[in-house]
Amino acid sequence: MNQRIEEIFQKEKPASVLLVCGGSFHRQKMYQDLLETATAAGARLTEFSEFEPNPKYESVVQGVETFLAKQCDFIVAAGGGSAMDVAKCIKLFWNMDRGQNYLTQKIVENNVKILAIPTTAGTGSEATRFAVIYEKGEKQSVSHPSCVPQYVILEPELLVSLPEYQRKATMLDALCHAIESYWSVNSTNESKEYAKEAIQEIFKYQDSYLHNEKEGNDKMLHAACTAGRAINVTQTTAGHAMCYKLTSLYGLAHGHAAALCVEVLWPYMTAHQEDCVDVRGSSYLKEMFQELAKIMGCKKTEEAIRRYQELLKKLALPNPVLKEEEDLQILKTSVNPVRLKNNPVRLSEEILEGLYREILNEKN
């Protein structure tokens, strides 16, 4: 059995555990470790896997019903961002009024704890107070400090079977978290240190990770978690605000879409620093971009942007091509204005349309 899991079960002594996981987790040795540990600890373990990527509100409601029916007192979230988001929402919603929409109610902190076991190195959800679910096709952001998992196990063995595309996309998601956190108007000295560490680890171990080596998998898991700690302070910015509808319209993985958005945002912002909305001012903005370049091992901002672009080219993740002109209207009006407020440079709908045209190979 896994020693870390044993230690957590011995400390918490759960009577009934809800395991929120994707189907692929069943093939992992850690799944058997969980079953054996629960049995040895005399804890009942109930699985909940009735959710999809970009999980729906209705799936969370079903998870809450399962949690209550089985009288659960502890949650294990094993999987990627979707499993983490569902688990967090179940934790936040289970003690609410079941007769009303949970999203409209005030969150009241409860004592149910979460053990997070990420099976991808990307979302950093195991370190954040945020969860994303969808209601009637619309993205809903849920946030509360109490849903940050109390326990996290980072096991590189869980990444061995990760498909190549997901391996690349999740690494880019972690990188975008760190970059966006660094330039966010909400950045602090603490968040910048987390972002710096994550960026440098990602670039240092990218090849080992892409070759599915144990050290690379281990380091990338920790880098993604560290990037999660950064966005837990700052939240994401326009890069992530722009990527959600792009993901659903063009069938891209979340990290792939986010990376394409950051690719066009970065040069735009450096060229329009006069539109700075960060209260620290345009001189701070210029200095910040220079710091970011240095973190990436570059002397100038332009070099850092090129290094980022070279990484995307190396990963061979293509840009989608615009299918319908009306897609641009859908995309530019789908962007969360709150995330735009976190962005250091002002962006209008007109500018967003231009950026989307670049992403969708419509640069003219």
Side-chain angles (χ1 to χ4, degrees), residues 11 18 32 87 114 158 211 248 264 271 300 309 340:
K11 180 179 179 181
L18 183 68
Q32 295 300 324
I114 300 176
L158 294 173
H211 289 119
S248 59
V264 297
K300 297 181 179 180
Q309 292 170 336
L340 289 185

Side-chain angles (χ1 to χ4, degrees), residues 86-103:
V86 170
K88 289 178 179 180
C89 288
I90 293 172
K91 181 265 191 305
L92 293 176
F93 296 166
W94 75 268
N95 59 338
M96 292 184 179
D97 182 351
R98 296 163 72 185
Q100 300 181 49
N101 187 307
Y102 296 129
L103 294 169

Side-chain angles (χ1 to χ4, degrees), residues 210-273:
L210 292 171
H211 289 119
N212 205 2
E213 296 170 357
K214 183 176 181 180
E215 182 182 35
N217 287 341
D218 180 58
K219 296 296 184 180
M220 201 60 66
L221 273 170
H222 283 84
C225 188
T226 303
R229 292 190 178 101
I231 62 166
N232 191 48
V233 175
T234 66
Q235 299 182 272
T236 52
T237 65
H240 269 69
M242 291 175 63
C243 84
Y244 287 101
K245 188 60 72 172
L246 192 63
T247 297
S248 59
L249 277 181
Y250 286 87
L252 305 180
H254 171 73
H256 182 183
L260 296 179
C261 293
V262 168
E263 184 182 23
V264 297
L265 263 174
W266 198 343
Y268 177 85
M269 293 196 300
T270 58
H272 295 83
Q273 295 181 45

Side-chain angles (χ1 to χ4, degrees), residues 145-156:
S146 69
C147 77
V148 179
Q150 286 72 26
Y151 301 101
V152 178
I153 294 177
L154 302 177
E155 173 51 65

